[in-house]
Amino acid sequence: AQKITQTQPGMFVQEKEAVTLDCTYDTSDPSYGLFWYKQPSSGEMIFLIYQGSYDQQNATEGRYSLNFQKARKSANLVISASQLGDSAMYFCAMREVTGGGNKLTFGTGTQLKVEL
Amino acid sequence: DADVTQTPRNRITKTGKRIMLECSQTKGHDRMYWYRQDPGLGLRLIYYSFDVKDINKGEISDGYSVSRQAQAKFSLSLESAIPNQTALYFCATSDWGRTEAFFGQGTRLTVV
């Protein structure tokens, strides 16, 4: 069975600093995908970044990068140059490839607060 | 207009009532999902459907049922609502071969 673990319920970071949000996962499927979503206080789910299990390089999307360490089964999100608008809940998720679908399993989330 | 639309956005209902949450999408995706979000628990999968004739239970399907009326429509029903079904509900869609899932705006359901 899949499992996603986010061990940081809450994090604080100062504006313009970088922050790392931790995510570890457990799966026996050799083919999987890892995702990060942002949920601001308004409630919508915003896709940030994706990493495939066979991707050789770490994914990057603007200020977001995914530190993928396959042997350690970790997929940490790094946000560079934090902004006040980055304050939100962040969810790590894993896609189950079986059946070719996109059934996502989510972690419990990390609440990030960016301070002046 | 949103690609994935959920109605209603907010609903308060009484214990024992039947309620339906509706989801429609304009993305042309085959796959649709219903998730439930509770504080501290993340999002948990209730049901998912890979096409009109395919319905699958997720990890927390008890007390819920779904209907895939068309490729673009996927409804979630609570046959007899109970207070611990109070939560934020999300519909999501994805395409075969695509990576991310696209979410609706969510439905905040309160059962009193």
Side-chain angles (χ1 to χ4, degrees):
Chain A
Q2 297 182 58
K3 184 176 179 182
I4 296 285
T5 303
Q6 294 181 255
T7 58
Q8 305 156 313
M11 289 278 287
F12 290 89
V13 65
Q14 292 216 312
E15 193 181 23
K16 301 180 184 178
E17 297 291 314
V19 62
T20 297
L21 306 184
D22 294 341
C23 174
T24 59
Y25 61 92
D26 185 26
T27 181
S28 57
D29 192 334
S31 181
Y32 52 90
L34 296 155
F35 303 77
W36 279 91
Y37 283 84
K38 173 184 179 181
Q39 186 182 41
S41 58
S42 52
E44 71 266 33
M45 295 290 288
I46 302 168
F47 166 71
L48 295 178
I49 196 166
Y50 166 80
Q51 179 85 41
S53 59
Y54 294 118
D55 293 343
Q56 294 297 309
Q57 293 192 332
N58 287 344
T60 60
E61 290 287 347
R63 294 186 299 109
Y64 304 108
S65 61
L66 199 152
N67 184 3
F68 181 45
Q69 298 187 42
K70 195 171 183 177
R72 299 179 63 180
K73 294 190 174 180
S74 72
N76 298 338
L77 177 70
V78 181
I79 305 174
S80 63
S82 297
Q83 303 172 356
L84 294 177
D86 294 333
S87 294
M89 180 72 84
Y90 288 81
F91 290 101
C92 179
M94 180 164 60
R95 177 187 67 178
E96 186 176 46
V97 177
T98 302
N102 227 9
K103 189 173 67 173
L104 292 177
T105 301
F106 284 83
T108 52
T110 296
Q111 183 73 49
L112 177 66
K113 173 73 172 176
V114 180
E115 302 174 315
L116 290 171
Chain B
D1 287 343
D3 294 322
V4 184
T5 303
Q6 292 182 231
T7 55
R9 293 291 310 279
N10 291 281
R11 181 72 179 266
I12 301 173
T13 192
K14 292 184 178 180
T15 298
K17 292 291 187 181
R18 183 180 188 275
I19 183 169
M20 178 182 288
L21 309 183
E22 299 185 335
C23 177
S24 63
Q25 52 117 344
T26 59
K27 298 193 74 66
H29 290 168
D30 290 328
R31 289 149 170 75
M32 297 188 74
Y33 311 83
W34 276 103
Y35 286 91
R36 164 179 174 160
Q37 182 180 7
D38 298 278
L41 296 179
L43 279 77
R44 294 179 292 167
L45 183 62
I46 307 172
Y47 272 95
Y48 60 104
S49 169
F50 286 174
D51 65 39
V52 175
K53 297 180 181 179
D54 177 79
I55 302 290
N56 303 281
K57 291 183 178 180
E59 60 180 300
I60 54 162
S61 59
D62 287 349
Y64 302 94
S65 62
V66 291
S67 174
R68 185 80 184 265
Q69 301 95 324
Q71 187 204 32
K73 295 184 182 297
F74 192 36
S75 300
L76 176 72
S77 293
L78 288 68
E79 296 300 326
S80 180
I82 56 176
N84 76 359
Q85 291 177 312
T86 293
L88 181 59
Y89 290 84
F90 283 103
C91 174
T93 75
S94 68
D95 198 5
W96 191 91
R98 288 285 299 177
T99 56
E100 75 270 29
F102 296 84
F103 284 79
Q105 296 288 86
T107 295
R108 192 166 296 280
L109 177 66
T110 303
V111 183
V112 298

